[in-house]
């Protein structure tokens, strides 16, 4: 499906990887699935594969759905996907569940809701198992998003559960972020509101046929109004930025607005995803936001900001890998264990020696 | 409170840090609080401070309490602390809440429950704000544990909420891990059981006066019995091991048993923490486990395993810091952003150039 604008640099790829890439570029869904597995497992050469694939660059519309468990994100996403499919768009879906590495996640219900769609060859659904890749899940998921993008889907929809840090980071890889809430969320929402305000491009109060929906929508509009003065400054800044570092204060969030004069006013919509109520309005809002992104220069700015964060993520991941695979580091460590136990050394002095051996 | 067996290497410390260290070693609680803040904020020289402090080495009994929210861990911990205080032990408490960086955590209720204890000068309570230190929270918390240990507390109690990866890693820094469940936990427990089995040294069914407690205890005993054959092999192996990597398959879990013939049979106890029922039996079990650890050689083996993981954590953290602070890396990145947008480069090729500049 993807275009073929420029020749890819696949010199570093193994024969197996080259053939996978060729089939990927021919639009074979199985090759996409295989490429995703290669990236998820960080198999040898996976970064070369991504390098080759990324030479095509981003073109899909990326829409993220996030919110607390039980908000109906999957149902809403399924309704959106169905509508896009009616327009014959090709859709990629990524569902992320970063819960306990042991629980295996709570995606079963979501998968069942998706079932109607899974037989449609125009839609490709992948759920990201966490397998405990702490810190790595966000980066890997963004890479899978890139793969889907490069494969040529018109739209890639990402669903994350909750608003923890990993979810926030993943969400930042979307162009448009839809935050889904329900009246029942209640107090939990209060606590999360600050964070949600930062990441939402569009708010949806789902299950709007239940009591409290109008009040929640009203509260959200009020909260948005209160911070309207600095909405533009705050709102898009998280995109592409490594939130964990921002929150640690290690990197300043930068305003990515080119001018600052054309703000985006975050809409608060109501839906009943189960029967499709309000879904057309939501999809309209997504389109409007998309146009605003392009017209205001935000799309380019967000992508640039994402690129910056991505390079830093790749560097950090590789540094960790180098350290773990260093034969010398292992020797230094093993030979120092007794000295640490005897307090002749400490983990800090040993780490320093290992670092001196690794760094220029 | 701490002993003064050997002279510390404080050559690298700034005058301010040296004075903080001296007051720390004199047993000033304010100096402990200040040292914790220095480590939490990763202020300049914090690793030198830890190096100096660690020359004293571990001597406190470290007991971890973990389990789902609402299981009554804080109440149980408070009951345990009160009992230890009756024996005039000095107690350090660390409460960790790795929830959303924005919510500020749900520790308020816990703090209130702790209130009776906070006026007692023989107990020191610190709650770890997450401030979004993804990946860093576990390491920082373990360093705070070390600080409390070196300060000279007889016992350090650590409470983590939930059984996510960060919690599991922190829990692994305890000598004895108490997993607290309640009848109400229901299905959630089913999902988590596998993970809990791996980390528990002692199971507690709290709120045992409620319906379903006996059944949960029975189920747990059955599950433990089922895997009794390999209990010893599996059970202690997580201690000190970087779980995130183990789960990613990057490092094999190693059996730390010296002989393998003297197993620990995980008890399942019932308590009503609110009125103290079952608490003495729990504390007995903690003592018994402690003796087993020492007698079997497990205590030494676990500490050795923890040391190994700690060195690796410090190395990785420092590598990330070096990368983020590298002037050259920043220049390479900034000058490549246009090329990446134009697809002349990709984040992977740019990351490679940065890495070549950093690594030996």
């Amino acid at each position: 499906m993807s275009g073929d604008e420029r020749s890819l640099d696949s010199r570093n790829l193994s024969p197996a990887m080259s053939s996978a890439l060729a089939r990927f570029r021919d639009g074979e869904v199985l090759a996409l699935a295989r490429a995703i597995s290669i990236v998820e497992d960080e198999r040898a050469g996976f970064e070369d594969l991504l390098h080759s694939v990324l030479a095509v660059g981003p073109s899909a519309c990326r829409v993220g759905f996030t919110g607390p468990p039980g908000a109906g994100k999957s149902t809403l996403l399924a309704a959106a996907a169905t509508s896009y499919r009616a327009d014959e768009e090709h859709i990629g879906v990524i569902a992320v569940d970063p819960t306990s590495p042991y629980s295996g996640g709570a995606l079963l219900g979501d998968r069942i809701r998706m079932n109607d769609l899974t037989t449609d060859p125009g839609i490709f659904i992948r759920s990201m198992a966490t397998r405990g890749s702490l810190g790595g899940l966000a980066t890997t998921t963004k890479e899978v998003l890139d793969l889907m993008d490069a494969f040529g889907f018109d739209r890639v929809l990402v669903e994350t559960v909750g608003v923890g840090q990993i979810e926030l980071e993943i969400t930042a890889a979307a162009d448009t972020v839809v935050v889904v809430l329900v009246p029942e969320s209640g107090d939990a929402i209060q606590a999360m509101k600050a964070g949600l305000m930062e990441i939402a491009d569009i708010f949806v109060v789902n299950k709007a046929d239940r009591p409290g929906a109008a009040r929640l929508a009203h509260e959200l509009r009020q909260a948005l109004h209160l911070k309207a003065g600095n909405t533009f400054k705050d709102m898009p800044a998280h995109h592409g930025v490594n939130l964990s570092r921002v929150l640690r204060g290690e990197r300043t969030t930068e305003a990515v607005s080119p001018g600052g004069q054309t703000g985006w006013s975050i809409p608060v919509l109501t839906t009943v995803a189960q029967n499709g109520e309000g879904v057309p309005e939501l999809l309209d809002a997504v389109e409007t936001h998309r146009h605003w992104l392009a017209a205001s220069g935000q799309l380019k700015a967000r992508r640039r900001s994402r690129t910056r964060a991505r390079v830093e993520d790749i560097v950090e991941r590789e540094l960790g890998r180098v350290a773990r695979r260093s034969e010398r580091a292992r020797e230094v460590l093993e030979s120092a264990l007794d000295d640490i136990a005897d307090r002749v050394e400490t983990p800090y002095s040993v780490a320093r020696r290992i670092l001196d051996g690794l760094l220029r």
Side-chain angles (χ1 to χ4, degrees), chain A:
Chain A
M1 279 183 256
S2 65
D4 216 341
E5 294 95 16
R6 46 180 292 110
S7 81
L8 298 172
D9 176 11
S10 49
R11 280 168 297 179
N12 296 322
L13 295 180
S14 67
M17 209 71 102
S18 286
S19 118
L21 179 63
R23 291 188 295 118
F24 178 94
R25 308 193 70 227
D26 284 344
E28 279 186 36
V29 170
L30 276 177
L32 169 60
R34 191 167 140 66
I36 292 174
S37 294
I38 288 168
V39 167
E40 270 192 308
D41 299 344
E42 299 188 10
R43 268 177 244 168
F46 82 99
E47 290 192 326
D48 294 316
L49 177 69
L50 281 161
H51 170 75
S52 303
V53 159
L54 279 191
V56 172
S59 57
C61 299
R62 299 161 168 223
V63 185
F65 293 81
T66 195
K73 294 177 297 296
S74 302
T75 315
L76 203 58
L77 189 152
T82 306
S83 170
Y84 290 135
R85 284 299 298 137
D87 295 338
E88 296 190 0
E89 288 192 16
H90 288 101
I91 305 290
V93 175
I94 305 176
V96 184
D97 182 19
T99 49
S100 162
Y102 297 111
S103 76
L107 275 169
L108 197 62
D110 299 347
R111 284 228 192 78
I112 290 165
R113 256 165 272 150
M114 291 276 187
N115 252 355
D116 294 347
L117 292 167
T118 48
T119 51
D120 178 348
I123 188 164
F124 180 91
I125 303 173
R126 181 80 175 206
S127 57
M128 300 290 292
T130 67
R131 297 176 311 133
S133 57
L134 182 68
L137 177 63
T139 303
T140 301
T141 303
K142 287 184 266 184
E143 287 174 329
V144 170
L145 228 166
D146 283 343
L147 283 177
M148 289 205 183
D149 200 327
F151 190 73
F153 290 113
D154 301 297
R155 217 170 281 267
V156 181
L157 312 179
V158 187
E159 178 194 345
T160 57
V161 182
V163 287
Q165 202 145 348
I166 294 170
E167 300 88 316
L168 291 177
E169 257 206 82
I170 294 167
T171 309
D175 302 319
T176 301
V177 177
V178 180
V179 173
V180 186
L181 302 175
V182 278
E184 289 84 352
S185 314
D187 283 352
I189 298 315
Q190 297 298 328
M192 297 188 303
K193 241 180 216 168
L196 294 173
M197 292 283 164
E198 304 300 322
I199 63 162
D201 295 310
I202 296 168
F203 269 110
V204 167
V205 176
N206 190 31
K207 306 187 183 178
D209 50 347
R210 299 198 185 172
R215 200 180 62 160
L216 176 57
H218 177 71
E219 280 177 12
L220 285 168
R221 284 192 194 102
Q222 264 191 324
L224 287 168
H225 184 72
L226 275 176
K227 61 179 309 222
N230 47 7
T231 295
F232 188 81
K233 187 163 67 42
D234 291 357
M235 185 264 301
H238 76 286
H239 280 268
V241 174
N242 185 322
L243 279 160
S244 64
R245 290 178 207 147
V246 170
L247 295 165
R248 279 203 300 247
E250 284 176 3
R251 198 188 311 170
T252 39
T253 312
E254 55 193 284
V256 289
S257 152
Q261 72 282 13
T262 49
W264 167 254
S265 167
I266 303 170
V268 178
L269 308 174
T270 52
T271 58
V272 184
Q274 209 95 47
N275 64 21
E277 213 179 294
V279 172
E281 290 79 3
L282 168 60
L283 300 188
D284 281 350
V286 170
E287 283 318 292
T288 307
H289 185 250
R290 179 85 190 169
H291 288 135
W292 172 79
L293 281 176
S296 67
Q298 278 294 309
L299 189 59
K300 202 180 160 199
R302 285 187 180 192
R303 281 178 177 166
R304 198 177 176 88
S305 188
R306 291 205 297 243
T307 297
R308 194 179 278 120
R310 177 69 60 85
V311 172
E312 289 167 336
D313 287 344
I314 298 167
V315 167
E316 271 196 53
R317 180 173 62 184
E318 183 59 20
L319 284 174
R321 203 162 15 218
V322 166
R324 286 193 296 280
R325 291 183 184 168
S326 160
E327 205 48 63
R328 192 192 151 276
R330 194 182 309 274
E331 281 168 22
V332 170
L333 171 54
E334 292 302 323
S335 69
L337 286 174
D338 286 332
D339 281 347
I340 294 175
D342 298 341
R343 285 156 225 175
V344 176
E345 295 223 52
T346 73
Y348 300 89
S349 57
V350 174
R352 178 37 60 197
R353 281 199 285 135
I354 291 173
L355 286 161
D356 287 343
L358 291 171
L359 293 167
R360 269 184 199 274

